[in-house]
Amino acid sequence: MENSVYLDELESKSINIIREAYWQYKEKLAVLWSMGKDSTALVHLVRKAFLGEVPVSFIHIDTTFKFSQIYAFRDKYAKKWGINLIIVKNSAALAKGISPDKDRFNCCDSLKTVALKEAIEKFGFKVLLLAIRRDEHLIRAKERYFSQRDKEFKWDYNDQPLEMWGQYYMTGHEEGGHLRVHPMLHWREIDIWKYIRRERLPVIDLYFARNNKRYRSIGCQCCCNPVESSADSINKVISELEVSRVAERSGRAQDKEKEYMMQKLRSLGYM
Amino acid sequence: MKNALRVVVTGEVDSGKSTLIGRMLYDTASLHKTAIEEISQASRLNGNILEFAYLLDGLEEERRGQLTIDTTQAFCRNYRSGFWFIDVPGHAELLKNMLCGSSYSQAAILVVDATKSLEDGTIRHINVLRFLGIERIIVVLNKLDILGFSKDVFEAAKGEIRAFLDSIGIKTEYFIPASCRQGDNLAKKSAKTPWYTGPSLISALHSLGGINKTGGKEGFYFPIQDVYLRKGNPVFVGTILSGKIRKNDAVHISPAGKRDKIKAIRVFGANKLSAKAPQSIGLELARGEGALRGQVISSDGGLSASSEITAKILCVQPINPQDKLFFSCATQQAICSIKQINKFSLVLAGAISDRGAGLNKEDVAEVLIAVREPVSVKRFSQVEALGRFVLKKDREIVAVGIIT
């Protein structure tokens, strides 16, 4: 039995933040679901927060370059959980033949950030829930739980508002702007796995080792590399993470391309 | 496994806060290999040898300017439950970022540049910690490598800091001679300070982590966060601040002053027979009429309605008497005004001067707040989450407060 108080505390804080965002913004709120382990845990937290009757929408930003397992997982669980899922693509950029081979920065920006911009405009969302965590990346570690983005999606990381004692800066009413909410900012990678084990959540099998390789983090097939690992079960993944010195996103191209690439992508509105 | 202790690392600009955290992460094998490679590369780009602060200062502006702009948190592994280190900026103008980080902490490390001893920023941070009620403090006297690990210099600086802490009623037993850059007395005792008989930083942190502040016998307090209709019944959702609750328990609803009874405890999937802090749950009440967000369900018959509150506040922005302010405590929010400024108990920067009826940024004052709708609050020493609040103007926090 997983230590209940420790995971309860992480879970409770996330649920509290989800409910706080919904209280303020109601159906203007959407949850980003990439089918990865973190955002799948977030989907579960959202279902828990609303006692199973979820009144908000979910967005999948489909670059069309994702692993085939991701699409199968999405279709299976969106149906099983009765999720109102909006799938968005930057069709114009795809029609022009954009791909990571030519310009990785531009590809990430167009197929993810621009696609998201179009969806926000089309559906009128004001608030996005994202499953980012502090321990993933130095730049994500600088985030607040509630973070404003202007109409250009810019993140003013040099002047973030004060939030403390569960009191957040909730705006998003600026013309064209939106609010990012990060209910899982305080979780660590290993916490996610312990929670998946305790709550018996499904995960894509790319996370488990085959031929001594597994994915620590998944996204577009072309820009993800597996890490050396023999962890072929949740228990083994947790044991591995207790001692691992390999970075979670070490297989993700956009994290190490060039110095400050993540910061530049994020300041333009990347997740 | 219990929860990791959260420790804020405070001190004057350039005293070595981020370096201390970075070095601790490095020496405790908490870092990923790529993080070490990345800082080696970035350090070369910026002309440094190995800049441990880069492990926290991830923004380009922070590295170029050699300062911490915003707060961040990093997990430090060890054989027990580990620690969360919270990095905060030292610059006075970044007070809001310092407060934001400190508000998550249960204990503090105060880093002092031993070549300079007690500086304005040191005093400012000690005062902020005292304001927030963070009383578990470890003092690290840094940069002793520059001073040849001199015992005399250490003792002199220690004496000065201790005298100041004593003068404002803060007791601490830990003064650690250190070089954060070289790692002396951080993750292990250093051979360069044979005259020092106290613990290393990590041992001192373990000693602090063993102290548990909460007794676990507090009453049940549950601020209503929202009301969801489920199968035609109102479900009052929220987070339990303290204590526990069982089905059929009698409860009070404040400030409405009503009595009620727990009909059901709702979570996703199934109903429960009991729940306890810090869970987020849903409650169905036997009557429940009129209950809404901002009211507090509790086992406390004495939780009354207040329309005037005496508190100490710390301003993060100037406040004018005519400002329209909101008082926010847990999920309660009410329009309020500052009716009376009783006294400035201390000012973080500069001397107290006559500035009329308003309050300036960084002022700490004892005030009487009048709220338009009554709210249910407690003293901070009784129920922390109902004894602390913020004042907002245009949705932004302009002051934080503690009910004394």
Side-chain angles (χ1 to χ4, degrees), chain A residues 3 6 9 12 16 20 23-24 50 138 141-142 144 157 159-160 167 170 244-245 247 259 263, chain B residues 1 3 31 33-34 45 55 60-62 70 72 77 96-97 225 230 239 278 280 293 330 395:
Chain A
N3 178 316
Y6 157 67
E9 198 174 314
S12 180
N16 181 282
E20 203 66 6
W23 168 74
Q24 183 81 6
F50 297 113
L138 282 180
K142 293 278 176 182
R144 297 278 192 269
Y157 51 77
D159 185 22
Q160 301 197 70
Q167 304 291 340
M170 290 195 264
S244 172
R245 300 286 302 272
E259 215 198 349
Q263 175 178 347
Chain B
M1 192 170 100
N3 273 341
L31 294 172
K33 282 184 283 185
T34 41
L45 281 176
L55 294 164
E60 189 172 357
E61 290 82 349
E62 293 182 317
D70 213 333
T72 188
R77 277 182 188 175
K96 67 176 163 56
N97 297 346
Q225 193 179 4
R230 293 292 178 267
T239 302
S280 286
R293 178 182 164 101
R395 292 168 179 263

Side-chain angles (χ1 to χ4, degrees), chain B residues 55-254:
Chain B
L55 294 164
L56 288 306
D57 294 336
L59 299 172
E60 189 172 357
E61 290 82 349
E62 293 182 317
R63 292 183 178 180
R64 292 208 196 289
Q66 302 270 316
L67 83 163
T68 301
I69 293 170
D70 213 333
T71 182
T72 188
Q73 300 187 18
F75 189 80
C76 178
R77 277 182 188 175
N78 64 12
Y79 59 96
R80 297 187 209 182
S81 45
F83 306 102
W84 277 106
F85 283 123
I86 304 171
D87 194 25
V88 294
H91 291 76
E93 55 273 29
L94 298 170
L95 173 70
K96 67 176 163 56
N97 297 346
M98 188 269 172
L99 268 175
C100 180
S102 303
S103 72
Y104 296 115
S105 70
Q106 300 154 309
I109 295 169
L110 178 72
V111 188
V112 178
D113 181 342
T115 66
K116 294 176 179 161
S117 195
L118 197 63
E119 298 179 89
D120 287 351
T122 321
I123 295 171
R124 185 186 305 113
H125 279 191
I126 292 171
N127 285 332
V128 170
L129 296 176
R130 189 172 76 144
F131 182 90
L132 296 174
I134 300 163
E135 285 159 357
R136 293 186 274 171
I137 299 178
I138 294 171
V139 181
V140 170
L141 289 150
N142 188 23
K143 306 194 184 180
L144 278 188
D145 51 323
I146 301 171
L147 302 162
F149 293 95
S150 155
K151 185 187 180 194
D152 292 343
V153 177
F154 168 73
E155 291 294 344
K158 173 181 166 179
E160 199 183 341
I161 307 285
R162 169 166 271 166
F164 178 74
L165 289 173
D166 281 349
S167 75
I168 59 168
I170 295 178
K171 296 264 167 287
T172 179
E173 54 182 299
Y174 300 110
F175 290 85
I176 300 174
S179 162
C180 292
R181 202 171 280 272
Q182 297 176 9
D184 295 285
N185 292 324
L186 296 187
K188 60 177 194 295
K189 287 289 291 284
S190 170
K192 294 172 202 156
T193 52
W195 43 266
Y196 172 66
T197 54
S200 65
L201 178 59
I202 203 151
S203 303
L205 285 168
H206 280 308
S207 312
L208 285 191
I211 308 165
N212 205 340
K213 256 177 93 175
T214 49
K217 283 188 200 152
E218 303 105 326
F220 172 77
Y221 292 95
F222 181 87
I224 299 173
Q225 193 179 4
D226 207 341
V227 187
Y228 298 160
L229 267 186
R230 293 292 178 267
K231 298 192 176 77
N233 296 317
V235 179
F236 303 95
V237 299
T239 302
I240 305 173
L241 299 180
S242 67
K244 60 184 173 190
I245 193 75
R246 281 177 301 269
K247 190 183 168 184
N248 294 325
D249 277 0
V251 288
H252 300 267
I253 302 175
S254 312

Side-chain angles (χ1 to χ4, degrees), chain A residues 47-108:
Chain A
R47 297 175 74 216
K48 280 193 128 173
F50 297 113
L51 306 166
E53 291 178 36
V54 179
V56 299
S57 306
F58 295 77
I59 296 176
H60 177 218
I61 304 170
D62 185 7
T63 61
T64 71
F65 292 108
K66 303 284 177 189
F67 289 95
S68 61
Q69 290 93 328
I70 289 181
Y71 296 106
F73 186 90
R74 175 188 77 187
D75 296 341
K76 178 177 175 185
Y77 289 100
K79 191 174 167 202
K80 185 172 177 187
W81 294 333
I83 278 172
N84 176 28
L85 183 66
I86 298 166
I87 298 167
V88 302
K89 286 179 200 173
N90 184 348
S91 309
L94 287 166
K96 281 186 201 156
I98 193 164
S99 84
D101 313 329
K102 294 168 196 162
D103 180 351
R104 198 166 258 155
F105 185 95
N106 191 30
C107 185
C108 257

